[in-house]
């Protein structure tokens, strides 16, 4: 199993550009989520999904859109990038949302918005 | 949401045991205690989790206080590869509430 994969590893955008961060998992996990991590800080939840076709907002959802058309994929879209979105983005998956499950994290995408 | 409190940083010598504390005085009966660690430039990695009883796995041990208001992650013999930020997180077993809340964690430095 590849686990949780993320592409790209690095990205530089100009203010106002759009892009999609890709996330895929091959463990047939129901639950997937996106976090951002700013320098020197812990992770903050952006959006999450409890299954295909179901998404919900996390702690910091503004400026981001998500969709979940398949169990495997959970892309994160930035519609109009802003410098405040410069961060490292992590995707995670878990068999379900329950607190008894561990989460598996991807390697991250380092995004810089100029 | 129940919150956790950890020391900002700790130091250890290589091959010695390390005890990383976590306070969670407002923990609810449906909260699992999870520990993750993050090595430099990597995504978080699951370490261990438990509900009420102490837990052991190949990476570490988790000691949970009887009243569940605190817990301790134990690395039995620290190596240089254990240098990381360690996060203590509560996860509700029910569907209510938000997902994992990461605090600042404890930065563990391991000295040779």
């Amino acid at each position: 199993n590849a686990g949780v994969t993320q592409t790209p590893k690095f990205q530089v955008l100009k203010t106002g550009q759009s892009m999609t961060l890709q996330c895929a998992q091959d463990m047939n996990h129901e639950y997937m989520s996106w976090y951002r991590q700013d320098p020197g800080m812990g992770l903050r939840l952006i959006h999450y999904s409890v299954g295909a076709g179901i998404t919900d907002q996390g702690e910091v959802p503004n400026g981001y859109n998500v969709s979940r058309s398949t169990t495997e994929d959970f892309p994160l879209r930035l519609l109009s990038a802003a410098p405040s979105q410069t961060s490292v983005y992590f995707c995670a998956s878990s068999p379900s949302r329950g607190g008894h499950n561990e989460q598996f994290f991807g390697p991250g995408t380092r995004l810089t918005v100029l | 949401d129940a919150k956790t409190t950890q020391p900002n940083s700790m130091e250890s010598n290589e091959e010695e045991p390390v005890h990383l504390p976590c306070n969670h005085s407002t923990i609810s009966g449906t909260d699992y205690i999870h520990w993750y660690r993050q090595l430099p430039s990597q995504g978080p990695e699951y370490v261990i989790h438990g509900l009420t009883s102490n837990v052991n796995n190949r990476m570490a041990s988790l000691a949970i206080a009887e009243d569940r208001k605190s817990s301790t992650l134990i690395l039995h013999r620290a190596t240089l590869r254990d240098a990381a930020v360690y996060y203590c997180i509560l996860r509700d077993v029910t569907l209510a509430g938000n997902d994992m809340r990461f605090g600042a964690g404890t930065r563990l430095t391991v000295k040779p």
Side-chain angles (χ1 to χ4, degrees):
Chain A
N1 287 348
V4 179
T5 58
Q6 292 183 238
T7 56
K9 284 188 169 47
F10 302 93
Q11 183 71 49
V12 179
L13 293 178
K14 294 182 180 178
T15 297
Q17 287 185 316
S18 63
M19 80 159 296
T20 299
L21 279 63
Q22 301 292 343
C23 173
Q25 53 90 10
D26 61 358
M27 297 173 281
N28 200 33
H29 285 172
E30 290 184 16
Y31 182 75
M32 297 185 73
S33 53
W34 276 101
Y35 294 86
R36 60 176 287 174
Q37 184 173 34
D38 299 327
M41 297 182 65
L43 280 70
R44 291 184 292 169
L45 182 67
I46 304 172
H47 284 285
Y48 65 92
S49 168
V50 299
I54 306 169
T55 64
D56 206 345
Q57 297 181 349
E59 183 184 357
V60 288
N62 291 341
Y64 308 94
N65 278 352
V66 291
S67 60
R68 183 99 178 267
S69 56
T70 67
T71 299
E72 295 78 20
D73 301 299
F74 190 42
L76 178 71
R77 281 185 288 277
L78 284 71
L79 297 177
S80 179
S84 61
Q85 294 178 305
T86 293
S87 190
V88 181
Y89 292 84
F90 292 100
C91 179
S93 75
S94 181
S96 68
R97 194 185 177 186
H100 55 288
N101 291 304
E102 67 178 272
Q103 284 209 46
F104 296 81
F105 285 83
T109 293
R110 188 174 297 273
L111 175 68
T112 301
V113 183
L114 303 175
Chain B
D1 290 335
K3 189 178 173 181
T4 63
T5 304
Q6 301 177 252
N8 289 336
S9 62
M10 291 185 65
E11 282 190 356
S12 171
N13 294 318
E14 197 176 10
E15 297 190 5
E16 289 187 357
V18 181
H19 290 234
L20 297 167
C22 181
N23 288 320
H24 28 77
S25 59
T26 59
I27 190 170
S28 75
T30 53
D31 283 329
Y32 274 78
I33 302 160
H34 284 249
W35 283 83
Y36 284 75
R37 71 179 186 181
Q38 188 173 22
L39 279 64
S41 301
Q42 294 189 26
E45 173 188 30
Y46 167 80
V47 178
I48 200 167
H49 76 282
L51 185 62
T52 57
S53 303
N54 295 343
V55 184
N56 299 300
N57 67 20
R58 64 175 179 82
M59 289 181 69
S61 296
L62 175 60
I64 302 173
E66 197 168 332
D67 63 4
R68 301 214 319 134
K69 293 187 177 182
S70 66
S71 60
T72 302
L73 178 70
I74 303 165
L75 306 179
H76 296 287
R77 287 182 70 227
T79 70
L80 297 179
R81 289 168 49 186
D82 291 322
V85 178
Y86 287 79
Y87 297 99
C88 170
I89 299 162
L90 302 181
R91 292 195 77 195
D92 196 327
V93 72
T94 70
L95 293 178
N98 216 339
D99 207 307
M100 298 167 67
R101 292 270 182 159
F102 283 80
T106 297
R107 183 174 298 277
L108 175 66
T109 302
V110 180
K111 297 184 288 185

